[in-house]
Amino acid sequence: RKEVEQDPGPFNVPEGATVAFNCTYSNSASQSFFWYRQDCRKEPKLLMSVYSSGNEDGRFTAQLNRASQYISLLIRDSKLSDSATYLCVVFYGQNFVFGPGTRLSVLP
Amino acid sequence: EAGVAQSPRYKIIEKRQSVAFWCNPISGHATLYWYQQILGQGPKLLIQFQNNGVVDDSQLPKDRFSAERLKGVDSTLKIQPAKLEDSAVYLCASTRWATGELFFGEGSRLTVL
């Protein structure tokens, strides 16, 4: 089993849609959780950290369920500019472990 | 604040040749990472430095890859000899502290023919 798994994608959604990404991780000792965004042929950049209490940043909401070892990202009112690959990242031990990413295309 | 600098941006070599990539992290960032990202996959850690010491190199193919971070600032990643499967983007990242935000450079895209 891979350490971090994500929805395979790609997700093609119309502008204004709500889209949810799922991520699971295998190591129960994982300490911190993040979503990174990677535009085509660019480097990954931090989108948001994920906390057990859930957190929201504008149109983006992240949730963490430690018992199920599950992380989610919800994007509301999708914009064309949201088109990118979304990487789920887990920190444990001393390392950041990246999932394979889920590609999102928001269509006009 | 200047970002993470990497060079070269692009490199094309033939298999069995050697190549070196350079990274200069953000000033004051003690932790430096090299990741390999193959097309369609997430970044995979190759090596992690804390200052000039190696924290984790368990996934570095040591028969062909080497990396150093002399003086605890910039770092070099070398591949010798290269194989076709080394074609990837090599990303350097740094953090101020161990669990902080990762800041990536633009990457060095390697094509091995």
Side-chain angles (χ1 to χ4, degrees):
Chain A
R1 182 183 172 189
K2 293 184 178 178
E3 293 178 284
V4 180
E5 298 190 67
Q6 296 186 239
D7 292 329
F11 284 37
N12 299 312
V13 304
E15 270 188 290
T18 295
V19 60
F21 300 129
N22 301 309
C23 170
T24 57
Y25 59 94
S26 61
N27 194 316
S28 60
S30 299
Q31 300 155 263
S32 305
F33 310 88
F34 310 88
W35 284 101
Y36 276 70
R37 169 190 169 131
Q38 187 171 26
D39 292 319
C40 188
R41 300 181 76 85
K42 297 287 189 180
E43 72 275 19
K45 292 184 179 178
L46 178 66
L47 177 65
M48 58 196 306
S49 301
V50 189
Y51 305 113
S52 297
S53 55
N55 48 303
E56 187 174 309
D57 182 3
R59 297 181 293 107
F60 299 82
T61 301
Q63 297 277 355
L64 166 65
N65 185 320
R66 284 188 181 268
S68 302
Q69 296 179 203
Y70 167 85
I71 306 160
S72 66
L73 176 68
L74 184 76
I75 305 176
R76 291 181 300 278
D77 189 23
S78 300
K79 311 291 185 191
L80 295 176
S81 56
D82 293 334
S83 296
T85 295
Y86 291 83
L87 296 160
C88 178
V89 183
V90 172
F91 183 89
Y92 70 89
Q94 301 184 83
N95 292 324
F96 293 89
V97 181
F98 284 75
T102 302
R103 188 157 59 88
L104 170 67
S105 293
V106 181
L107 308 173
Chain B
E1 180 178 62
V4 176
Q6 288 190 247
S7 67
R9 289 292 312 280
Y10 304 92
K11 190 74 176 179
I12 301 173
I13 61 173
E14 295 189 349
K15 59 183 179 183
R16 291 186 289 274
Q17 287 187 322
S18 63
V19 62
F21 302 114
W22 173 83
C23 171
N24 189 279
I26 293 173
S27 177
H29 283 197
T31 308
L32 184 149
Y33 305 80
W34 282 102
Y35 286 88
Q36 179 193 60
Q37 187 172 26
I38 293 171
L39 187 65
Q41 300 180 20
K44 184 187 98 171
L45 179 70
L46 292 175
I47 189 166
Q48 177 188 352
F49 293 95
Q50 178 77 17
N51 296 310
N52 60 347
V54 175
V55 174
D56 185 351
D57 64 356
S58 58
Q59 298 186 79
L60 188 73
K62 298 181 186 64
D63 57 333
R64 298 184 301 104
F65 285 66
S66 65
E68 60 183 11
R69 190 184 184 196
L70 300 175
K71 301 180 183 178
V73 182
D74 54 353
S75 176
T76 302
L77 175 71
K78 296 179 181 177
I79 308 174
Q80 182 179 16
K83 292 185 174 181
L84 298 177
E85 59 261 36
D86 298 333
S87 294
V89 177
Y90 292 85
L91 292 162
C92 179
S94 68
T95 61
R96 188 174 296 280
W97 58 86
T99 59
E101 177 180 351
L102 279 167
F103 291 89
F104 284 89
E106 292 181 299
S108 293
R109 185 176 299 272
L110 174 66
T111 301
V112 182
L113 303 175

